[in-house]
């Protein structure tokens, strides 16, 4: 009961602050709200903006493990706070840009967005309640903003597993191809995934956007890649 009340109060406070953000025009107001986001981080999570920038996504995730379970709803809320804070700080930095400062601000902003993306997907993989906050809208916007950038392997794997969990098999396959390329261990996982999909009924595969013939073709492609990689490794060993 305490945990539920805690989350309800947190979500209410976050929702009110997000609504206020939409009406802000003055830089002073934005700076004040940024301080309020920092205060919320400190009060609810004993964190601050500098610390969330310093910690890796995996470090942050570890902080939300209690008794062997991930507190996914709390992690999800933290990720949204980090996003709102990052967007607000980025707006403030762009209002008084210098060439070097703006480049640094851009790089830092992208890193923060990627970190938020990791945390949100990890929370959803562990069953977070997506109705508490507009999580899916946020994830869609993050995906669009980060589309031009290279996503690291850990994030790609999480996105693949998340799409698979939600039975969006076509989207899972798109991410899978980017994640598995050039890595034998990942290719083996990909082959196992396709083999698992082949055990599903046709209607479920089609609902997920990946009909059986495409699953079979995907498995053949992965098996071919595995053979090529092993052949290349063998040739390299012969030459050395």
């Amino acid at each position: 009961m305490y945990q539920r009340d805690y989350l309800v109060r947190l979500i209410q406070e976050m929702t009110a602050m997000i609504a206020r953000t939409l009406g802000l025009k003055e830089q002073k107001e934005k700076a004040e709200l940024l301080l309020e986001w920092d205060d919320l981080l400190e009060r609810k999570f004993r964190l601050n903006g500098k610390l969330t920038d310093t910690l890796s996504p995996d470090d942050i995730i570890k902080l939300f493990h209690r008794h062997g379970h991930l507190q996914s709803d709390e992690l999800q809320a933290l990720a949204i706070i980090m996003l709102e804070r990052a967007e607000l700080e980025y707006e403030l930095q762009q209002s008084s840009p210098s060439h070097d400062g703006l480049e640094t601000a851009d790089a830092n902003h992208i890193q923060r967005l990627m970190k938020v993306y990791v945390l949100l997907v990890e929370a959803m993989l562990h069953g977070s309640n997506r109705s508490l906050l507009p999580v899916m809208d946020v994830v869609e916007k993050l995906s669009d903003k980060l589309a031009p950038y290279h996503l690291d392997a850990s994030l790609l794997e999480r996105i693949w597993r998340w799409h698979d969990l939600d039975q969006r098999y076509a989207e899972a396959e798109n991410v899978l191809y980017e994640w598995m390329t050039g890595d034998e261990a990942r290719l083996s996982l990909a082959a196992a995934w396709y083999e698992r999909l082949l055990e599903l009924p046709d209607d479920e595969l089609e609902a997920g956007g990946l009909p059986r013939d495409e699953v079979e073709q995907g498995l053949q492609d992965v098996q071919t890649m595995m053979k090529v990689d092993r052949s290349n490794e063998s040739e390299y060993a012969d030459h050395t």
Side-chain angles (χ1 to χ4, degrees):
M1 180 62 71
Y2 170 80
Q3 187 69 13
R4 179 177 176 80
D5 291 343
Y6 166 85
L7 277 170
V8 168
R9 289 194 298 271
L10 173 59
I11 299 304
Q12 288 173 341
E13 193 166 353
M14 289 173 62
T15 302
M17 291 174 69
I18 291 171
R20 282 176 53 201
T21 303
L22 299 175
L24 294 181
K25 295 180 180 178
E26 299 294 330
Q27 296 303 104
K28 181 180 179 181
E29 292 177 327
K30 292 179 181 179
E32 289 173 351
L33 185 56
L34 183 61
L35 292 176
E36 290 185 37
W37 282 118
D38 280 333
D39 176 66
L40 187 62
L41 276 175
E42 181 67 39
R43 284 190 289 108
K44 299 298 185 180
F45 300 108
R46 297 181 182 176
L47 294 168
N48 56 54
K50 184 176 180 180
L51 190 55
T52 56
D53 282 344
T54 302
L55 293 173
S56 71
D58 287 334
D59 288 336
I60 294 174
I61 290 166
K62 287 177 184 176
L63 295 176
F64 287 82
H65 274 279
R66 295 179 197 137
H67 310 296
H69 297 285
L70 180 67
Q71 305 301 305
S72 57
D73 289 337
E74 290 184 34
L75 181 63
Q76 182 174 266
L78 172 73
I80 299 293
I81 293 174
M82 288 171 59
L83 176 62
E84 291 295 329
R85 187 189 177 284
E87 297 282 26
L88 197 55
E89 184 168 340
Y90 188 56
E91 287 181 24
L92 287 168
Q93 291 169 335
Q94 290 209 314
S95 67
S96 56
S98 64
H99 178 68
D100 292 339
L102 193 55
E103 285 189 352
T104 300
D106 287 343
N108 289 341
H109 189 57
I110 294 303
Q111 288 181 350
R112 287 168 176 165
L113 295 186
M114 288 190 181
K115 187 177 293 187
V116 168
Y117 203 174
V118 171
L119 299 181
L120 284 176
V121 175
E122 184 71 12
M124 289 189 289
L125 282 170
H126 286 80
S128 63
N129 185 343
R130 304 179 201 179
S131 67
L132 295 174
L133 291 161
V135 179
M136 295 304 294
D137 289 343
V138 169
V139 168
E140 184 176 348
K141 290 176 183 177
L142 285 172
S143 179
D144 290 342
K145 285 185 178 181
L146 296 174
Y149 302 94
H150 172 73
L151 305 184
D152 67 36
S154 65
L155 176 51
L156 288 171
E157 181 181 5
R158 283 180 167 102
I159 297 171
W160 164 51
R161 294 188 184 281
W162 167 55
H163 284 315
D164 176 51
L165 182 67
D166 282 8
Q167 299 180 334
R168 292 186 297 271
Y169 301 128
E171 293 177 59
E173 183 182 51
N174 291 338
V175 179
L176 175 65
Y177 264 84
E178 186 177 355
W179 173 68
M180 70 181 181
T181 304
D183 187 292
E184 186 172 353
R186 295 175 196 166
L187 286 170
S188 296
L189 287 172
W193 180 68
Y194 281 116
E195 289 168 353
R196 179 173 63 79
L197 290 187
L198 287 174
E199 297 176 0
L200 300 177
D202 288 347
D203 58 347
E204 186 173 331
L205 293 176
E206 289 173 6
L210 204 63
R212 184 168 302 277
D213 60 332
E214 294 185 20
V215 177
E216 292 171 345
Q217 184 61 56
L219 178 58
Q220 289 178 20
D221 291 343
V222 170
Q223 289 171 338
T224 299
M225 284 186 245
M226 293 171 70
K227 291 177 182 177
V228 170
D229 280 0
R230 288 166 185 165
S231 176
N232 289 339
E233 288 177 4
S234 178
E235 288 181 12
Y236 176 78
D238 290 343
H239 284 91
T240 54

